[in-house]
Structures are given as C-alpha cells and as structure tokens.
Amino acid sequence: MAIAATTTTQARFVVPRGLVPASFVLGGTLLSLIGLTWDIQWHSDVGPDTFFTMPHLFLYTGSALSGIASLAVVLITTANAKRDKAIDPIVGGRAVGVFGRTFAAPVGYLISGTGAALFLVYGLWDQWWHGLYGFDAVIESPPHIGLLLSISITMVGTVMIFAVARDQRWGVYGVVATAAVLLVFSMVTVLGLRAVPDGLANPVAAGTAFTSVMILFMAAHALNRRGGALAVGLSVAVLQAVFWWFSPWAARVYADATGLPLRDYADGIPGLPYTIPMCLIVVAVAVELLHRLPAWIPGALGGALIAACVPLQAVLVYGAPFHPNGRYLATVVLSAAFGAGAALLGRRFGQMLRHLAPAKEDRHA
Amino acid sequence: MRKTLLGLLGTCFLLLGLASPALAFEPVNVVHTEKVQAGPYNLTVGFSTWPVKAMQSLDFTFAPEDGIAGKKGTLTMVPAHGEPDDTPLARHPRKRDVWGLDIHALPEPGTWTFRFDISGPAGPASGELRNLQVMEQPGPPMGLSWAISTIPLFGLIGLIVVAWRRTRVNSN
C-alpha cells in the first residue's frame, strides 16, 4: 500500500511527454505577439527605429525560440529513427521524412520550424527593402507581410503540435491558447489587404471577419467539445484586454528608459488590440448556441456581425463619425458570405487537425 | 530532458545577451531645402533625401524662421490624384526644435502640394509648397514584391491541399 501511494505521488510530478518542447514553441509565438504589439505601439507613440529596439528583439527571439525548439525535436526524432527507437507521435504528430529520409520530422514541428526558417529569409528580404525604401514604419509593406506570414506558419504548427495531444488536458488548453494567439496575430496580417484597391467593400474588414470565423471554427472542431469556440473567444478577449494595457505602457516605459519623448499628438490608443473585433465573444457564444445548425449559418452571422461592428468600434475608441452607406452594407454582405465559407473551411481544418493523431480518434467519438 | 531544457534556455539567454539593445538613432540630415511663405511666417522645408521618390521614406522638417514656440498648425499633403491627407504639425521625434515627419514616404509619384495652415503670434496664415515632384518608386514592380512576400501563404495553402486530400477518405 505504501509503495502504491509513493508511486501515485511520483506520477503527479511527471511532466507529460511532449509538453516541454510544445511549451517552448508556444512561448516563442507569445514573444512574437508581445513584440508585435509593442513595436506597433512604439511606432505610433514614439517613433525612432533601429534594428535592435527591444520590441524587435522580442520578435527575433520569439521566432528563434520556436525555431530552435522545433529543430531540437526534429534532430532528436531523427536520431531516434536512425537507431530504430520507437517514436511517440504525441510529440508533434507522426514523423515524416524530409530531404528523402535524411531527417524524420514530427509534422507539427516541421511546420513550426519551417515558419521560423522562413522568418530568417524574409528578414533578409526586409533588410534589402529597407535599404532601398528607407526605414519606413509601414506595417503592411510586402516584406513585413512576408515576415508576419512566416510567424503565422509557426503559429499554425504550434496549433498542430497541441492538437495532437487533444485528449490530454495540456493539449486542450494548448489548442485554445495557440488558436487565440494565431487569431490575434492574424488581425495584423490581414492589414496587408490594404494593398487591395479600394472597391465596393472594405477588404480589411472582410479579411478580419473571414480569418476570425475560420480560426474560431477550426479550434472548436479540433477540440470537438462544447465550449471550445467560447474558450477561444474568451482567450482572445483576455489577450485584447492585457495588450490594451500593456502596449501603451511598454512604449512609454521604454521611451522613458531610452530618454526619448512621446510624439506630439500621440493618442495612446493601443494599435494592435484595436484591430481585434470586440464583438468576437458574441460570435463565439453564437457559434456555441447554434451548433446544431449547419456551420455556414453561424459562420455567416459571425462574419456579418464582425464586419458590421468594425466602424462601431472606431466610433467607440476614436470617436470617429459613422455614416452607414452602400459600401458599409456591401462589406457586411460580403463578410457574411466570407464568414459562411470560413466556417466550412474552419470545420474542415478542425477535422484535419484531429487526424494528426488517428490512433486516439476512437476515444473522442 | 534536463539537458535539452538547459540547452534551450542557454541559447535564449545567449541570443538576448549578444543582441543587447544598441539604440543609436540616426540624426536628421537635411540635404535639400525649399522655402514657403505662409503670410508673415517664413518656413523652410527640409528633405533628408533628394529627389523624392514614391514609397521611399525620408525625414521632412518644417522650420519657421523664428522657431515653433507659440505656433501651431496643420499640414495637408495633396497628391496629384487621390485624397488629401491632413495632419497636425508635430515636432520631429529626432529633431525636437522643428516640426517634421519622421521616416515618412509619399505613396505615389507625380506632382504633390504641401499646404501649411499656421497660427501664431502674427495671426493665422496659409502657404503652399507647390510642384513637389515625386519620382517613380525604386525597386521591382509591386506585383513582383507581393508575389515574393506571399510565398509563405501559398506554401500554407499547398500544405492544406495535401492534408485535405490525405484526410478526405477518413472523414467521409
């Protein structure tokens, strides 16, 4: 009896297999997200830029941490494969051959590591761009969008890594956290749609609606349990609230530390958190309540609601004027259509994430 | 596992330690100036790069002859085509004794006009810098730049297509 009790006590302190490297990759993506919100705020509230500002270091370190952790897992897996040792797919999913069979890479870590490697390549592209065009602080320049897309790929890999372990508590929490991080980060990436010529509708609002609905449905279906969408919506709201406080605070503290003044007319409104739809939590509740309906219906409602609230959020935060016109209505209608498609895509992506660990599928049916 | 953890942590600290913040902000180097007369205010407009090219960012400075103290105003940038953009005249972040725009790019080529509406001790007045020629953007066409920059997106779509096809049978 005493032996059994000791064994139980020891078992409580065993770190689940796969959790440590997954946490490093997730930590890297969080650093990237913190660096991004800080950097955007720095440019709007303070201004002067160098390669080695602290927000930039967060961005570089985030991708470096995710990349090194991914590389470490791939090398360990490769070494185990060469020695014919058993490879546990709970660590990032099934291993696939890379460069023939030179490397054996768990698919989740392959994607997260590829994103980190792409970040390096696009960092060079960005350096070349700045040499030619100057150190513009435009978030939606082509190389910046390339960098943001590279980090997004790392984040997609992180979602996959945690989705593999969805039958464990850390896997469930991880999918919720990584989906929230990906969603928040993507709100900046969609600003690249400003490059689309202005037409009948607002492309950024439609892109925001599409991406938000897709990631919400993807996470909900990857977890395949009630409350999944709501948990992601709440996590996004928490990130929005924390960054709403953090971003202007960090920019101000860093400016004080480096002896730089704030810009004249700096409004201090948090740049990145402002891009996140505040109504997302309502959309998440709607997804939960309407789960018996075909996915495209709550998707269309969610897409329309997000696009409809974009100018209302500007009224609330900036006191901007709001004149509903034909373009506004066209954006709402387009976003409803995009939302419907995003829900179907998101649901399918969720199913694909569930297939990452097919051996455990029967436990969730 | 402990070795892996220590290795990863060590690498992180090394990265942060080697890349300690080297905050050496570039000074504002004015290489070309233009004069604008806004009523009683004699304004010198400075450019850190000349000639100006579309999308190429530079520092602009706007310096009244007798300083900016006691004055405020608005700058309206009017492109050849498209909507004018107005902004309050704010001190340049790296040259606080004058107004300015830091690392700012004019988005399109053509003939631009900068209009200054200034109010100060001598009352309100306006003046314009006309015929500011902005040349074509340097570098490759934007279509090519966007094509290069969106390769990760198309790579991700390719991955999704492969995963979609491989999981299709099981999901039906």
Side-chain angles (χ1 to χ4, degrees):
Chain A
M1 187 64 99
I3 293 169
T6 308
T7 310
T8 310
T9 310
Q10 284 175 343
R12 278 182 196 158
F13 293 97
V14 171
V15 178
R17 191 168 177 76
L19 174 58
V20 171
S23 302
F24 271 100
V25 179
L26 172 59
T29 60
L30 270 172
L31 284 179
S32 298
L33 187 58
I34 292 168
L36 184 65
T37 188
W38 192 356
D39 195 41
I40 290 172
Q41 204 64 36
W42 175 260
H43 286 298
S44 75
D45 289 359
V46 187
D49 202 20
T50 70
F51 189 76
F52 283 124
T53 62
M54 196 58 86
H56 285 179
L57 284 181
F58 267 68
L59 281 164
Y60 309 148
T61 309
S63 278
L65 184 61
S66 300
I68 290 167
S70 303
L71 182 63
V73 171
V74 170
L75 292 178
I76 291 168
T77 308
T78 303
N80 288 340
K82 302 268 184 206
R83 292 177 198 148
D84 289 329
K85 284 174 73 175
I87 296 168
D88 190 345
I90 197 72
V91 185
R94 277 164 289 181
V96 294
V98 181
F99 300 130
R101 295 196 174 205
T102 310
F103 295 99
V107 66
Y109 287 99
L110 176 62
I111 303 301
S112 60
T114 303
L118 282 171
F119 182 85
L120 282 178
V121 175
Y122 280 96
L124 294 173
W125 169 229
D126 191 44
Q127 272 299 97
W128 179 82
W129 184 273
H130 283 310
L132 190 63
Y133 287 99
F135 275 84
D136 59 288
V138 182
I139 188 70
E140 68 268 23
S141 73
H144 286 174
I145 294 301
L147 285 166
L148 295 176
L149 286 170
S150 302
I151 298 174
S152 301
I153 287 179
T154 295
M155 291 177 172
V156 169
T158 317
V159 175
M160 294 167 72
I161 289 166
F162 281 96
V164 170
R166 67 182 186 279
D167 68 328
Q168 298 183 33
R169 190 176 291 176
W170 68 271
V172 173
Y173 290 149
V175 168
V176 171
T178 52
V181 168
L182 175 62
L183 196 154
V184 170
F185 194 86
S186 300
M187 297 301 97
V188 181
T189 312
V190 296
L191 295 179
L193 292 171
R194 284 176 182 164
V196 175
D198 257 359
L200 293 172
N202 178 345
V204 174
T208 300
F210 178 84
T211 313
S212 305
V213 170
M214 187 179 68
I215 295 173
L216 214 53
F217 271 83
M218 179 190 73
H221 283 270
L223 294 171
N224 200 24
R225 61 177 72 193
R226 298 295 304 276
L230 187 58
V232 174
L234 279 170
S235 303
V236 169
V238 168
L239 282 172
Q240 187 176 29
V242 170
F243 287 156
W244 201 279
W245 160 79
F246 170 80
S247 310
W249 173 83
R252 197 175 57 247
V253 167
Y254 188 42
D256 287 344
T258 49
L260 288 167
L262 294 181
R263 285 183 192 277
D264 293 342
Y265 308 107
D267 55 22
I269 292 172
L272 183 146
Y274 170 73
T275 63
I276 304 167
M278 292 176 180
C279 63
L280 193 73
I281 194 75
V282 180
V283 177
V285 170
V287 171
E288 294 293 343
L289 293 178
L290 305 178
H291 73 283
R292 291 189 191 281
L293 295 177
W296 66 268
I297 295 175
L301 287 173
L305 182 64
I306 289 169
C309 288
V310 166
L312 301 180
Q313 196 157 312
V315 172
L316 182 69
V317 177
Y318 284 99
F322 173 47
H323 306 293
N325 51 21
R327 189 168 185 264
Y328 173 70
L329 291 175
T331 304
V332 173
V333 171
L334 182 69
S335 300
F338 275 21
L344 297 173
L345 273 177
R347 185 182 65 177
R348 185 70 177 88
F349 294 164
Q351 290 168 353
M352 285 154 66
L353 286 171
R354 293 178 61 75
H355 276 93
L356 284 169
K360 295 177 172 61
E361 190 70 25
D362 53 347
R363 295 185 204 172
H364 299 274
Chain B
M1 184 58 76
R2 187 178 291 175
K3 278 184 182 173
T4 312
L5 264 173
L6 284 173
L8 282 169
L9 280 173
T11 311
C12 294
F13 284 123
L14 201 63
L15 275 171
L16 274 174
L18 288 176
S20 59
L23 287 165
F25 297 111
E26 289 280 325
V28 179
N29 295 317
V30 173
V31 299
H32 179 82
T33 59
E34 298 279 345
K35 294 285 185 187
V36 174
Q37 193 66 43
Y41 308 110
N42 186 4
L43 200 67
T44 301
V45 181
F47 303 83
S48 67
T49 303
W50 192 262
V52 180
K53 293 178 182 169
M55 295 177 57
Q56 194 174 50
S57 55
L58 65 149
D59 288 302
F60 294 88
T61 57
F62 314 118
E65 200 169 47
D66 52 350
I68 60 173
K71 301 186 185 76
K72 61 179 182 178
T74 306
L75 164 67
T76 307
M77 291 174 282
V78 187
H81 311 286
E83 293 290 310
D85 183 20
D86 61 77
T87 175
L89 283 164
R91 285 174 292 176
H92 193 291
R94 285 173 288 126
K95 195 170 170 58
R96 302 278 287 174
D97 56 334
V98 298
W99 292 317
L101 300 170
D102 65 316
I103 49 170
H104 186 82
L106 299 177
E108 59 181 74
T111 306
W112 283 68
T113 300
F114 280 13
R115 190 170 65 239
F116 299 90
D117 297 299
I118 300 172
S119 63
S126 296
E128 287 187 344
L129 172 65
R130 294 183 185 139
N131 295 321
L132 173 60
Q133 295 300 319
V134 178
M135 301 170 77
E136 289 289 333
Q137 63 156 107
M142 286 304 283
L144 179 60
S145 297
W146 278 114
I148 293 169
S149 297
T150 49
I151 288 172
L153 178 63
F154 291 107
L156 187 61
I157 291 170
L159 172 81
I160 289 168
V161 169
V162 170
W164 188 299
R165 294 179 65 173
R166 287 195 179 179
T167 56
R168 188 168 46 192
V169 177
N170 291 338
S171 61
N172 286 337

